[in-house]
Amino acid sequence: MFPRFLLFLTSTGEMERRTTLTPLESFFSLHTGILLLAIAVALVLNVPSSATMPSHTAGQSSVGHPLLGPLATACAFIAIISYNTKSVGSLGLLVSIGAAIVSLWGFWVLVFQGTSRHSKKTGTDKHTSRFCLATRRCFLQKKEWRKQQGSKSR
């Protein structure tokens, strides 16, 4: 937002007075600004407006981390911008790949958070129960658990 301040911070002596940022400094300041903007948006949207916090009931689904959505979106934006930046050479591609991985992981967590269903009887995840039954070890663990549950109920 204010490149003169960045120029002041990067100057090392009186003789060296630059008027523009280098492409690398400009690249990193842009991406740092995008991440700081995402954190600011997340803080503004998630600060409670009332003095008392509402209590969560057992029936409500748990909400993910408040920074997850804005940071995943910011990383997607950074991946697109850095992919199209040619002034920093291959660093733009490396930052683009890293930011894209973080963004995809964040969107994956946003889409699939809280979707697993757990069995009340065994406590196992119902989406993976078929795989668990296919292995001998899981079968023996389930048999042992049923034996323990039977001795507790008597």
Side-chain angles (χ1 to χ4, degrees):
M1 290 189 159
F2 41 94
R4 294 268 181 208
F5 182 66
L6 290 175
L7 287 170
F8 171 73
L9 290 176
T10 59
S11 66
T12 57
E14 276 304 310
M15 300 306 256
E16 183 187 336
R17 286 283 179 202
R18 296 186 305 168
T19 57
T20 60
L21 291 173
T22 65
L24 185 64
E25 292 168 341
S26 177
F27 179 79
F28 282 134
S29 63
L30 173 68
H31 290 73
T32 304
I34 291 170
L35 288 174
L36 288 175
L37 181 68
I39 291 172
V41 166
L43 287 175
V44 166
L45 294 178
N46 291 302
V47 170
S49 60
S50 63
T52 59
M53 293 291 291
S55 62
H56 293 287
T57 59
Q60 260 183 331
S61 64
S62 64
V63 178
H65 198 277
L67 285 175
L68 187 59
L71 285 181
T73 306
C75 283
F77 191 59
I78 286 173
I80 293 169
I81 289 176
S82 60
Y83 183 75
N84 291 326
T85 302
K86 304 299 180 210
S87 62
V88 291
S90 62
L91 179 67
L93 181 64
L94 291 173
V95 169
S96 176
I97 291 170
I101 289 171
V102 171
S103 174
L104 288 173
W105 184 18
F107 287 137
W108 179 272
V109 171
L110 279 173
V111 169
F112 294 110
Q113 71 179 0
T115 60
S116 64
R117 298 178 312 171
H118 295 282
S119 170
K120 291 180 183 178
K121 194 180 216 183
T122 62
T124 60
D125 187 8
K126 288 186 176 183
H127 295 289
T128 59
S129 64
R130 290 185 191 142
F131 173 76
C132 189
L133 287 177
T135 62
R136 177 79 176 147
R137 192 173 117 224
C138 286
F139 178 72
L140 293 175
Q141 286 176 349
K142 192 171 184 180
K143 188 175 180 181
E144 181 67 29
W145 180 83
R146 283 186 178 161
K147 196 183 297 183
Q148 288 175 354
Q149 292 299 322
S151 65
K152 285 181 184 179
S153 64
R154 290 180 193 174

